[in-house]
Amino acid sequence: MTKTLTTYEAVTEFGKKLKTLTSLKALLEWDQETKMPSGGVEFRSNQLEMLSGLIHEKLTSSELNNLLSPLIDMDSGDLVDSDSLDLSQKAALREWRKDVLKAKKLPDRLVKEFSKTTPLAIHAWAKAKEENSFEIFAPHLEKIIDLSKEKAQHLGYEFSPYDALLDEYEPKMTSQKLTKLFSEIKPKLLDLVKTHSKKIDSSFLYGDFDAQKLMSFNKELLDKMGLNKDFYRLDLSNHPFCLSMHPRDVRLTTHINSSDLVAGNISAVIHEAGHALYEMGLPIEHFGTPLCEALSMGIHESQSKFWETMIGQSFEFWEHFFPTLQKLFPENLKDISLDEFYKAINIVKPSFIRIHADEITYNLHVILRFEIEKALLSDELKVSEIPEAWNDKMQSYLGIVPKTFSEGCLQDIHWSCGLFGYFPTYLLGNLYAGQLYHNFRKTHLDYNTKIAQGNLLFIRDYLKKNVHEFGRYYSQEELIKNATGETLNPEYFIQYLDSKYSTL
Ligand code: ZN
């Protein structure tokens, strides 16, 4: 064994310890949303502060730097002994260097303060949402925005502080690129809403559904999608999410919104399962290195949206699953045809809640948040002005105005978690998914027959082969080009929407 390889193994060993520490943080975050008694929040914030500090310390330690330096020049990024490394090792070193340099820009104090602040903010947000009081959340949000601005200053940016935050979730993406991309598709989306909005009876989707029956239906779905029972848990939380400790231990949550059968529950489960399959499909042999990590949140979201909407809201999917659902909930569904059900779950109708929105209006919800975040970070908007800005944009994009904060600017957990720059990845995810779906259908010409038979494993395998198993080996642009033959082209998503909804 050459010396270089021995050293590469030493970095991987270090990486495994670091990932183990990071997974403990994820476990505490999962626990906070699913099991922790509310009285534990102050102590949890201390625990997370301590763990984040330790993770940051390790990532910026001279020990890691000394392990990396013989392999890659930390200043220039040039590999020291390129010939003795294989392509994966080279890619891993490139990504490790990026992570270390980025972490070193952030002072320890700021990392800890962020981690201490967010659990309290999440707690305040949940209370604020429940009591419909923006005032309860506003001071926490102000603090998080100040910390985010400070973080952006440390990370550095060319044009806007928002870019530095965006880069955390979608590397190399900038607000300029997004503004251009979103302004191209916004008028097309507004047109699609106008063209495809219809009044269809969907009253049977609302009611008081038995939580246990729903959860058992969901578990059957997850099984069909190819999630190994031994590798995940499905629990209830305030806001559905997916957290991964390791490709063999992934935590999914959903919520029981008893009033809305599909959008309020089943869709959320399919969505989070799409995320879970990505985490489970990462190359486990590279655990501890960046190659066993998700590429970007946009790519992550492409996986959940692919499953949730393109597959989970398709006719062929429900050809297989509707009879089971009908038997579970006969009081609502026994007189409903598959066709009526399919149309009802795909109604295009402006609504208040992003995660329950249809496939078309959903994207306008995301653009609204992107515009507000950008304005907040560049001091064009104050926290106290958010509710008004929110309502103005809702009126202008969707023609409706929420009557409560809970249905408006307090609906999402993200800002309380400090996730500024995250929302745009939801729309990018749809765009990536649209392009992948186009390619998927060309690759599997009999896809609808298979899906109608309840055979979904080939979908998981297509996504694994084209996305999951590369981890961070490629950039988003390279990944999409390799999978589909073209760099990101938003037209695929727009065409997908137009052609699907023209038949409804
Ligand atoms: Zn998601």
Side-chain angles (χ1 to χ4, degrees):
M1 194 179 282
T2 65
K3 188 170 171 286
T4 310
L5 267 178
T6 319
T7 323
Y8 181 84
E9 274 157 17
V11 191
T12 308
E13 279 313 305
F14 188 95
K16 280 183 190 163
K17 285 184 199 151
L18 192 55
K19 283 305 276 185
T20 307
L21 210 50
T22 319
S23 73
L24 291 175
K25 188 170 169 249
L27 188 58
L28 286 184
E29 284 163 352
W30 170 82
D31 174 78
Q32 185 182 339
E33 297 305 310
T34 54
K35 308 280 175 198
M36 188 189 80
S38 64
V41 65
E42 295 269 353
F43 186 60
R44 180 55 42 92
S45 105
N46 294 342
Q47 291 173 310
L48 288 169
E49 179 194 15
M50 190 180 89
L51 263 181
S52 301
L54 283 173
I55 292 166
H56 190 247
E57 231 170 71
K58 273 210 165 290
L59 195 54
T60 55
S61 66
S62 53
E63 190 186 351
L64 179 57
N65 195 73
N66 294 343
L67 286 169
L68 283 169
S69 302
L71 298 166
I72 186 165
D73 186 315
M74 294 301 278
D75 294 324
S76 68
D78 292 338
L79 293 161
V80 177
D81 184 8
S82 186
D83 294 343
S84 55
L85 295 162
D86 66 27
L87 290 173
S88 326
Q89 292 170 331
K90 287 178 192 176
L93 288 167
R94 175 197 71 209
E95 294 301 301
W96 255 320
R97 173 180 171 266
K98 249 186 0 202
D99 294 348
V100 169
L101 293 183
K102 197 172 209 182
K104 280 187 175 171
K105 289 180 182 172
L106 296 176
D108 214 35
R109 173 203 48 81
L110 182 62
V111 172
K112 285 191 194 156
E113 202 176 340
F114 226 111
S115 292
K116 197 177 166 59
T117 304
T118 49
L120 301 172
I122 294 170
H123 192 68
W125 161 77
K127 191 170 183 305
K129 187 176 170 183
E130 203 181 303
E131 294 180 18
N132 188 36
S133 158
F134 188 67
E135 272 172 30
I136 294 178
F137 184 46
H140 293 269
L141 186 54
E142 270 160 13
K143 180 151 190 213
I144 283 180
I145 292 171
D146 286 343
L147 289 172
S148 301
K149 283 183 193 161
E150 197 189 333
K151 187 174 168 188
Q153 292 307 326
H154 286 290
L155 290 172
Y157 51 86
E158 203 177 336
F159 296 107
S160 136
Y162 194 70
D163 295 350
L165 304 177
L166 198 51
D167 192 73
E168 295 270 282
Y169 311 108
E170 198 63 17
K172 297 209 181 96
M173 186 46 80
T174 64
S175 49
Q176 269 186 327
K177 281 193 223 169
L178 276 183
T179 305
K180 185 170 172 284
L181 183 63
F182 288 0
S183 63
E184 270 167 35
I185 57 173
K186 191 156 89 178
K188 292 179 187 172
L189 290 166
L190 290 168
D191 270 357
L192 286 171
V193 177
K194 253 189 233 142
T195 317
H196 299 301
S197 288
K198 282 193 189 85
K199 281 207 174 78
I200 293 169
D201 177 30
S202 64
S203 53
F204 52 85
L205 292 176
Y206 298 85
D208 202 3
F209 298 99
D210 181 84
Q212 260 183 340
K213 282 189 193 174
L214 255 178
M215 285 304 243
S216 78
F217 177 79
N218 288 329
K219 286 190 175 155
E220 189 193 321
L221 262 181
L222 298 181
D223 199 33
K224 287 271 186 191
M225 286 172 71
L227 279 84
N228 185 326
K229 281 192 190 73
D230 296 334
F231 301 161
Y232 79 87
R233 274 190 65 91
L234 175 63
D235 292 273
L236 292 175
S237 68
N238 202 340
H239 203 101
F241 67 88
C242 169
L243 269 176
S244 170
M245 317 292 135
H246 181 273
R248 297 289 177 267
D249 182 359
V250 181
R251 310 297 172 97
L252 292 84
T253 70
T254 185
H255 57 174
I256 302 277
N257 180 340
S258 57
S259 66
D260 187 341
L261 180 60
V262 177
N265 182 267
I266 297 169
S267 280
V269 171
I270 302 175
H271 179 103
E272 300 309 333
H275 285 304
L277 283 174
Y278 187 11
E279 293 291 338
M280 291 170 174
L282 290 167
I284 198 164
E285 66 277 18
H286 291 292
F287 182 75
T289 82
L291 298 182
C292 187
E293 286 172 5
L295 175 55
S296 76
M297 290 323 296
I299 295 295
H300 228 308
E301 200 59 21
S302 76
Q303 301 307 292
S304 53
K305 283 305 208 181
F306 193 104
W307 278 106
E308 179 203 343
T309 57
M310 285 151 199
I311 304 298
Q313 280 173 237
S314 70
F315 187 79
E316 48 272 17
F317 181 87
W318 287 104
E319 264 183 285
H320 180 78
F321 288 103
F322 184 61
T324 313
L325 197 65
Q326 215 172 13
K327 267 187 218 130
L328 272 180
F329 302 109
E331 59 285 6
N332 278 65
L333 302 175
K334 74 174 184 319
D335 298 324
I336 304 299
S337 69
L338 170 62
D339 201 50
E340 286 167 319
F341 178 78
Y342 174 61
K343 284 184 174 144
I345 62 167
N346 283 295
I347 292 178
V348 177
K349 189 180 165 208
S351 60
F352 298 123
I353 306 295
R354 175 185 61 89
I355 59 167
H356 300 162
D358 62 81
E359 280 184 277
I360 302 178
T361 58
Y362 179 88
N363 306 290
L364 293 161
H365 285 273
V366 177
I367 292 177
L368 172 152
R369 285 151 178 76
F370 167 61
E371 291 172 349
I372 289 182
E373 286 192 347
K374 221 171 46 156
L376 284 166
L377 265 293
S378 57
D379 293 320
E380 287 160 40
L381 189 74
K382 290 196 215 98
V383 165
S384 59
E385 294 165 341
I386 293 176
E388 201 189 331
W390 187 285
N391 291 355
D392 288 350
K393 285 184 191 291
M394 280 297 286
Q395 177 63 50
S396 130
Y397 301 159
L398 294 170
I400 53 172
V401 176
K403 287 194 182 66
T404 63
F405 298 120
S406 311
E407 278 189 323
C409 60
L410 286 180
Q411 65 181 269
D412 284 313
I413 193 171
H414 303 59
W415 289 342
S416 67
C417 304
L419 297 173
F420 276 88
Y422 190 106
F423 275 118
T425 67
Y426 287 131
L427 179 39
L428 284 172
N430 270 336
L431 302 181
Y432 291 134
Q435 193 161 331
L436 287 167
Y437 186 58
H438 179 80
N439 179 268
F440 163 78
R441 286 184 294 176
K442 277 198 316 196
T443 315
H444 293 281
L445 295 173
D446 58 346
Y447 75 98
N448 39 12
T449 320
K450 281 184 173 166
I451 296 173
Q453 290 163 349
N455 172 2
L456 308 179
L457 293 181
F458 76 108
I459 307 172
R460 178 199 65 181
D461 295 342
Y462 166 85
L463 294 170
K464 185 167 168 34
K465 199 172 122 225
N466 286 287
V467 180
H468 307 172
E469 65 185 27
F470 295 109
R472 289 168 64 188
Y473 185 88
Y474 293 118
S475 66
Q476 301 95 294
E477 210 160 80
E478 288 164 342
L479 185 89
I480 292 299
K481 192 166 178 203
N482 290 343
T484 68
E486 214 181 316
T487 52
L488 182 63
N489 177 354
E491 275 309 304
Y492 288 112
F493 180 58
I494 300 290
Q495 277 166 18
Y496 153 75
L497 291 176
D498 199 29
S499 80
K500 173 175 175 179
Y501 287 90
S502 296
T503 66
L504 276 161

